Amino acid sequence: MVSITGGSYPPALDNDLERERLALAIKDWSIANGLAVRPPPAVVGHDPRGILAVNAPVTLFPSPFPRSCFEEAKSIQTAYNELYARISQDEEFLEGLVQEVAGGDEFIANLWDVHLRVKGEGYVQPLNLGLFRSDYMVHQDGEALQIKQVEFNTIASSFGGLSAQTSKLHQYLAQTEYPLLQAAGPYASGLDLPANHSAKGLATGLAAAFAAYGPSALSHPTCVLFLVQDGERNVFDQRHLEYELQSAHGIPVFRLPFSEILSRTSIAPGLPARQLLYSLPSNPSRVFEAAVVYLRAGYGPGDYPAASAWEARYQIERSGAIACPSILTQLAGMKKVQQVLATPEPSGGVPAALRRFVAGDDGAKAYGLLRTFTNIFPMDATPAGQAARKMATDPEGCKKYVMKPQREGGGNNFYRTAIPAHLQSIPEAHWGSFILMELITPPPLENVILRNGELEQGGVICELGVYGTCLWDQKTKAIVHNEESGYLLRTKGDQSEEGGVAAGYGCMDSCSLV
């Protein structure tokens, strides 16, 4: 168990009245401040008008997080932003990796086909926007603690809105509730809770793209479109970003279900700039020109149930709107990219793929990125892939690894002894569409989670995500905007493999730096 100054973590809540008081304070504050989600499907049938909201799962206390690891993750984010912008600009590099995994991954193949269709007629919008999130866990090797990257998200990087609210919740509790606990310890004198402006930072990135797009040549008002999933439960997380865009930047924002793209948008006919026009459903004569399209949907096969959904994605990609992300940027987030970047050279030193994108630097940036990589292996037919296949299929050796497909959204990975069983269930020709990652060993922690009105106490694992916003020009290669944009801390029970909050595995948390 990690200790913090003046006592152990977390403070004991042996008094039932204290537990109830603290839980009630969190429930009320969360609903009053939008730290909430829509109820699960089982409840929706009893809420036909969509008026219900429930608390997002959250920890009662901020989790201790090593200050050095937190600061390193924040400081390296702009380098990661630039790295992935450069990757998205390198079509040849991405094409080679797509060809390696597409045989066993129809979704990746379909994304690439959309890109090729647009490339055939010519892209009209050179600007690309990335709202990124780099996820880490703290790896404990003896007494040494070091951040190791879990994954890099290039599409629908969620919880920027709820993360900012979670930080505010724990700051509020530190001022009002923690000092009243019988075993308050250091909670009575204050915690080192870093400021977190993730909603503001992400909105600033969207606003930068909106400004770069400029005024409409057709004299239409311009707007930002949020592409969302039908029945989205995590709506309030998205709304915080919308409200920030509207209140701080005066930008019109509209939510558009992914399934309604073709019915509610159109390409301006006969114009080379292919402006994307959006008609209000309540007043079709009121037309806006979409300057930025922010995808909070479209990241997995479930968003494309029919050919029409792929036509909708094609319409967005070929339009003059700035896509967040473009197809190439989404493909840059493949786990295969992460694996190739981390594959060491036989002679040691910076991996060749990483040198490809940070060449010309003095090496400090490359080594800074390299420090955060963990051991990742291909599952292809190369010698390294054959060695990984042997580890993955070994009943004992597989217990050190997680196997990942090229997917976002949580719930897609295979851990430890589940790896051999899954490999046996699919053709061996498809194994190359996965990567094998060595499991990260975090330090032991405990916390209390409030989920569905119930308190769960025990061992936990924390995952830090750092947001970044980046705007760049695909043609000139110029980086127009590049900022670190706040953080997310997700926590799960130490017996849980996955950590996605929206997928039902983890909960919201914030950092107490130690």
Side-chain angles (χ1 to χ4, degrees):
M1 185 183 296
V2 171
S3 293
I4 56 177
T5 304
S8 62
Y9 165 88
L13 291 175
D14 298 327
N15 186 321
D16 287 343
L17 292 178
E18 280 195 332
R19 294 167 65 91
E20 292 171 6
R21 176 186 172 87
L22 191 53
L24 180 60
I26 292 173
K27 292 175 188 177
D28 290 349
W29 191 99
S30 296
I31 293 298
N33 291 274
L35 181 51
V37 295
R38 291 293 185 195
V43 180
V44 170
H46 301 285
D47 182 32
R49 297 189 181 277
I51 62 172
L52 296 182
V54 297
N55 300 118
V58 66
T59 57
L60 265 62
F61 303 97
S63 289
F65 200 90
R67 181 188 307 277
S68 61
C69 293
F70 182 82
E71 292 175 349
E72 180 179 2
K74 297 262 284 184
S75 67
I76 201 71
Q77 185 60 37
T78 54
Y80 262 117
N81 292 346
E82 184 174 353
L83 171 63
Y84 275 82
R86 299 301 182 206
I87 292 170
S88 79
Q89 294 167 352
D90 195 331
E91 183 190 26
E92 179 184 12
F93 174 77
L94 287 173
E95 181 179 19
L97 299 186
V98 166
Q99 290 175 349
E100 289 189 37
V101 302
D105 196 320
E106 184 181 13
F107 177 67
I108 295 296
N110 287 338
L111 285 173
W112 187 252
D113 286 344
V114 172
H115 162 67
L116 292 180
R117 286 180 67 188
V118 180
K119 180 184 177 184
E121 61 182 325
Y123 277 87
V124 296
Q125 178 54 262
L127 293 176
N128 279 197
L129 175 65
L131 264 58
F132 299 141
R133 196 186 71 225
S134 186
D135 293 338
Y136 307 92
M137 291 173 65
V138 175
H139 180 67
Q140 184 174 26
D141 185 4
E143 295 298 316
L145 298 176
Q146 169 65 39
I147 55 165
K148 293 296 180 182
Q149 188 183 64
V150 177
E151 63 181 359
F152 192 89
N153 302 276
T154 61
I155 182 170
S157 302
S158 58
F159 293 110
L162 294 192
S163 179
Q165 298 308 103
T166 304
S167 293
K168 292 178 183 177
L169 166 65
H170 286 151
Q171 289 162 359
Y172 164 78
L173 295 173
Q175 294 173 347
T176 62
E177 296 295 330
Y178 299 156
L180 304 179
L181 300 176
Q182 292 184 23
Y187 292 85
S189 57
L191 298 167
D192 191 349
L193 306 181
N196 185 15
H197 305 295
S198 48
K200 180 179 180 180
L202 294 173
T204 297
L206 288 165
F210 181 86
Y213 183 89
S216 168
L218 305 178
S219 300
H220 291 302
T222 50
C223 71
V224 172
L225 289 181
F226 277 41
L227 295 187
V228 299
Q229 294 175 324
D230 291 311
E232 175 63 72
R233 292 189 60 210
N234 195 27
V235 60
F236 304 109
D237 175 55
Q238 300 167 6
R239 289 291 194 185
H240 286 300
L241 270 64
E242 294 176 42
Y243 300 153
E244 182 68 24
L245 273 174
Q246 292 164 335
S247 62
H249 302 279
I251 297 174
V253 180
F254 300 102
R255 297 174 63 80
L256 176 60
F258 198 85
S259 60
E260 298 178 19
I261 292 173
L262 294 179
S263 63
R264 288 169 56 180
T265 70
S266 61
I267 301 293
L271 297 176
R274 297 189 208 139
Q275 290 91 342
L276 183 67
L277 305 180
Y278 169 77
S279 300
L280 289 179
S282 57
N283 183 6
S285 63
R286 188 80 164 106
V287 177
F288 286 77
E289 182 175 329
V292 182
V293 178
Y294 174 40
L295 280 77
R296 289 296 293 260
Y299 54 81
D303 290 320
Y304 303 86
S308 59
W310 288 107
E311 287 301 309
R313 184 65 186 272
Y314 168 65
Q315 176 150 299
I316 298 299
E317 189 75 6
R318 71 186 292 264
S319 78
I322 299 173
C324 180
S326 67
I327 293 285
L328 289 180
T329 304
Q330 180 173 351
L331 290 170
M334 291 187 297
K335 304 302 184 290
K336 185 65 179 178
V337 170
Q338 186 185 7
Q339 175 257 303
V340 170
L341 290 174
T343 298
E345 295 295 294
S347 58
V350 178
L354 186 57
R355 290 201 310 271
R356 180 180 182 128
F357 299 107
V358 296
D361 291 322
D362 62 1
K365 183 182 293 184
Y367 279 103
L369 293 165
L370 187 60
R371 270 176 50 87
T372 68
F373 294 168
T374 190
N375 293 323
I376 311 176
F377 309 96
M379 288 286 288
D380 53 27
T382 64
Q386 293 291 350
R389 291 182 178 195
K390 185 176 180 180
M391 293 185 292
T393 53
D394 182 89
E396 291 300 318
C398 68
K399 294 178 181 180
K400 296 170 56 180
Y401 299 98
V402 53
M403 188 174 71
K404 297 184 176 184
Q406 316 302 314
R407 288 291 179 275
E408 304 292 343
N412 299 301
N413 300 330
F414 300 89
Y415 290 82
R416 300 182 176 89
T417 55
I419 297 173
H422 183 72
L423 289 174
Q424 292 172 8
S425 72
I426 61 175
E428 190 169 338
H430 293 178
W431 290 13
S433 63
F434 292 85
I435 59 99
L436 192 70
M437 177 183 287
E438 192 173 275
L439 288 167
I440 300 168
T441 305
L445 289 173
E446 288 191 6
N447 209 329
V448 185
I449 297 172
L450 177 62
R451 188 195 312 275
N452 297 326
E454 300 291 336
L455 294 177
E456 308 167 5
Q457 183 164 0
V460 297
I461 296 172
C462 299
E463 185 172 312
L464 176 72
V466 178
Y467 296 101
T469 55
C470 193
L471 179 68
W472 66 93
D473 191 307
Q474 287 287 94
K475 290 183 178 179
T476 68
K477 313 301 184 185
I479 304 292
V480 180
H481 168 96
N482 184 7
E483 292 185 354
E484 177 267 310
S485 304
Y487 83 91
L488 160 72
L489 191 69
R490 290 174 296 176
T491 293
K492 62 183 180 181
D494 60 8
Q495 300 304 308
S496 172
E497 304 285 16
E498 297 283 359
V501 179
Y505 304 102
C507 74
M508 303 299 299
D509 198 351
S510 74
C511 293
S512 173
L513 300 182
V514 295

